[in-house]
């Protein structure tokens, strides 16, 4: 369950289900987490970025790691996945914070490792603009390398008790990582023993060449933004092939395409809900948003004419917005010959949109799952909490009836929910064994 502010639709605040300041109220997030836990979902996910975004939709954005620590204390099984940028953090501090959440939650923590492209964020950290794409991903690769080595710097025997009931720690049970790299110099070991999962779940969402390689090398789960079944299948095959190329077991990478949902008891009711939300939108704002994602001046687009394919920039090293969102949206527009106005209607939060009954939502989830387009899904309801409640109370039972979703949790950790083994360096993938060996 992807908790995007007050909902995945830009006008969710106009339904007045919760106060606009709910995004700074921990109970708002706890409620959504408990709804999701009732539906036996794997986890909740919080996106984040280190810059003020503007707009009137929400009253602010809490730090996701701090927030999810509180949410974990109020829930029992559901995973808690926080976004933290590799561009504007330091690996030592972040490794400690994420590992702390994993210990506090009993093994339910995940880290969505992202690079940050926007110039606004860069200026908050004393820089004039965001680093080039290739530099961000080289930094991210080294960043995750350092974090995982810190998580593994305590051996599994480092907290073994001796006969006197005190910790009997061998001299080499906790070792410094002695890292010297292009971006970071980190000497010491981490401050915490291995977490309940062996190490927290690593999530990644980039779809550029650099992003796909980063995910294939490091990620346990990858959030994807494909808008067509064909593209999602191709992406999944590509990632698994890249993971194998890094010496990993490709079955240990979970692919989770995003899906924005608007659900009603009938198609007509779902459409009315969608129309009501859309009626509150400033189309100019939506238009500017999608134009920004496409990397083209909005003034060059005619709302009801074909897209000017020759004017779109190529997502090279200087392209400052998401390569993955650009490719997903252009692919959908090409396949269905959409105008800019139609494309705005079809894309929400950069992801595929489904408007319909619980059975129709279940149909598309089941189709993509059985076709190999995804192992699970990153669900973005139109508005909270009602969109989450409708999904859990009506779509989940339909998926359970079809035998494609669990009826009860089968384990206690986020890795258990994702069907992934506990991480142990003695059973690590080849590339990770080499890193752990220094």
């Amino acid at each position: 369950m992807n908790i995007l502010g007050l909902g995945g639709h830009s006008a969710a605040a106009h339904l007045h289900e919760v106060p606009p300041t709910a995004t700074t109220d921990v109970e708002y997030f706890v409620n959504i987490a408990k709804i999701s836990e009732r539906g036996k979902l794997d986890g909740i996910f919080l996106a984040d970025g280190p810059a003020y975004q503007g707009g009137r939709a929400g009253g602010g954005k809490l730090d996701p790691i701090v927030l999810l620590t509180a949410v974990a204390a109020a829930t029992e099984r559901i995973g808690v996945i926080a976004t933290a940028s590799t561009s504007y953090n330091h690996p030592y501090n972040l490794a400690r914070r994420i590992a702390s959440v994993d210990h506090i939650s009993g093994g339910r923590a995940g880290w969505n490792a992202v690079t940050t492209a926007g110039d606004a964020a860069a200026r908050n950290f004393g820089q004039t603009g965001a680093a080039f794409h290739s530099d961000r991903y080289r930094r991210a690769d080294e960043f995750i390398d350092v974090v995982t080595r810190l998580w593994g710097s305590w051996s599994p025997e480092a907290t073994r008790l001796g006969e006197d009931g005190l910790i009997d720690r061998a001299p080499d049970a906790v070792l410094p990582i002695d890292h010297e790299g292009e971006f970071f110099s980190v000497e010491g070991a981490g401050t915490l023993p291995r977490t309940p999962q062996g190490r927290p779940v690593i999530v990644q969402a980039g779809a550029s060449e650099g992003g796909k390689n980063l995910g294939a090398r490091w990620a346990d789960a990858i959030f994807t933004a494909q808008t067509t079944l064909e593209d999602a299948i191709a992406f999944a095959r590509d990632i698994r092939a890249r993971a194998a190329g890094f010496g990993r077991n490709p079955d240990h990478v979970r692919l989770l395409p995003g899906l924005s949902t608007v659900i009603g008891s009938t198609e007509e009711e779902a459409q009315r809900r969608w129309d009501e939300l859309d009626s509150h939108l400033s189309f100019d704002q939506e238009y500017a948003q999608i134009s920004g994602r496409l990397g083209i001046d909005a003034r060059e687009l005619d709302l009801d004419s074909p897209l000017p394919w020759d004017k779109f920039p190529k997502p090279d090293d200087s392209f400052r917005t998401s390569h993955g969102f650009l490719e997903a949206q252009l692919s959908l527009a090409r396949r269905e010959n959409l105008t800019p106005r139609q494309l705005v209607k079809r894309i929400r939060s950069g992801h595929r949109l489904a408007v319909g009954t619980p059975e129709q939502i279940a149909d598309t989830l089941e189709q993509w799952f059985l076709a190999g387009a995804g192992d699970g899904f990153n669900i973005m309801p139109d508005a909270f909490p009602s969109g989450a409640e409708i999904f859990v109370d009506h779509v989940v039972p339909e998926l359970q009836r079809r035998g494609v979703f669990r009826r009860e949790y089968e384990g206690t950790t986020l890795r258990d929910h994702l069907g992934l083994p506990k991480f142990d360096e003695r059973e690590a993938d080849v590339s990770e064994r080499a890193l752990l060996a220094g």
Side-chain angles (χ1 to χ4, degrees), residues 37-42 76-77 396 400 405-412 416-417:
E37 191 169 64
R38 188 174 77 232
K40 317 303 177 186
L41 272 61
D42 299 328
E76 296 179 358
R77 293 291 187 91
V396 167
Q400 291 169 334
F405 191 66
R406 68 171 73 90
R407 292 183 179 274
E408 296 293 339
Y409 287 115
E410 298 175 2
T412 60
D416 290 336
H417 304 341

Side-chain angles (χ1 to χ4, degrees), residues 105-318:
S105 66
R108 294 185 280 138
W111 167 38
N112 179 38
V114 301
T115 69
T116 304
D119 290 340
R123 290 191 289 269
N124 289 339
F125 293 86
Q127 302 174 23
T128 57
F132 282 135
H133 183 273
S134 58
D135 294 335
R136 295 199 310 272
Y137 276 94
R138 285 204 324 280
R139 177 186 167 101
D141 188 66
E142 184 180 340
F143 194 111
I144 301 174
D145 176 7
V146 174
V147 167
T148 56
R149 289 167 63 189
L150 288 167
W151 285 341
S153 60
W154 290 47
S155 76
E157 291 76 34
T159 53
R160 183 180 58 193
L161 297 181
E163 292 182 359
D164 59 358
L166 300 177
I167 293 175
D168 184 12
R169 184 173 296 147
D172 62 349
V174 180
L175 295 174
I177 68 170
D178 291 325
H179 175 84
E180 289 287 344
E182 178 184 3
F183 297 96
F184 305 107
S185 174
V186 181
E187 179 186 14
T191 63
L192 289 167
R194 297 293 176 95
T195 73
Q197 299 186 92
R199 75 182 190 197
V201 168
I202 298 174
V203 180
Q204 195 271 338
S208 65
E209 282 300 301
K212 287 186 283 191
N213 282 330
L214 191 73
R217 182 178 184 185
W218 294 109
D220 301 298
I222 296 178
F223 293 151
T224 76
Q226 284 68 48
T227 53
T228 70
L229 180 62
E230 296 81 3
D231 287 345
I233 292 172
F235 183 86
R237 289 173 177 169
D238 183 18
I239 289 294
R240 297 195 196 286
R242 290 174 193 247
F246 282 111
R248 299 188 61 193
N249 182 342
D251 291 333
H252 289 174
V253 183
R254 296 288 179 258
L255 280 300
L256 306 174
L259 183 68
S260 298
T261 59
V262 183
I263 309 171
S265 58
T266 64
E267 285 188 64
E268 293 74 17
E269 182 180 306
Q271 190 61 51
R272 281 198 302 271
R273 181 178 171 99
W274 179 244
D275 291 341
E276 179 185 357
L277 286 162
D278 267 5
S279 70
H280 296 290
L281 286 179
S282 161
F283 192 81
D284 289 342
Q285 292 175 334
E286 290 291 290
Y287 186 35
Q289 180 185 55
I290 202 165
S291 298
R293 286 191 190 139
L294 296 176
I296 189 171
D297 191 324
R299 291 170 296 184
E300 298 186 34
L301 298 177
D302 184 320
L303 292 181
D304 298 303
S305 296
L307 287 166
W309 298 106
D310 59 327
K311 293 184 178 180
F312 288 113
K314 295 186 182 300
D316 57 18
D317 200 41
S318 62

Side-chain angles (χ1 to χ4, degrees), residues 1 17-18 31-39 41 261 263 273 358 379 381-397:
M1 186 69 71
E17 293 188 17
V18 293
N31 181 44
I32 298 170
K34 288 184 175 180
I35 292 168
S36 303
E37 191 169 64
R38 188 174 77 232
L41 272 61
T261 59
I263 309 171
R273 181 178 171 99
I379 300 299
D382 50 3
F384 288 113
S386 65
E389 290 175 317
I390 295 168
F391 185 86
V392 162
D393 293 338
H394 298 281
V395 178
V396 167

Side-chain angles (χ1 to χ4, degrees), residues 14-94:
H14 289 275
L15 296 187
H16 300 293
E17 293 188 17
V18 293
T21 55
T23 51
T24 56
D25 181 358
V26 68
E27 291 305 319
Y28 169 70
F29 295 93
V30 167
N31 181 44
I32 298 170
K34 288 184 175 180
I35 292 168
S36 303
E37 191 169 64
R38 188 174 77 232
K40 317 303 177 186
L41 272 61
D42 299 328
I44 61 169
F45 163 63
L46 295 181
D48 192 46
Y52 174 63
Q53 299 297 318
R56 301 180 61 204
K61 184 178 290 187
L62 296 169
D63 180 289
I65 298 175
V66 176
L67 171 59
L68 290 180
T69 304
V71 172
T75 54
E76 296 179 358
R77 293 291 187 91
I78 193 140
V80 288
I81 304 169
T83 296
S85 172
T86 60
S87 301
Y88 303 112
N89 280 293
H90 191 282
Y92 197 90
N93 283 344
L94 189 62

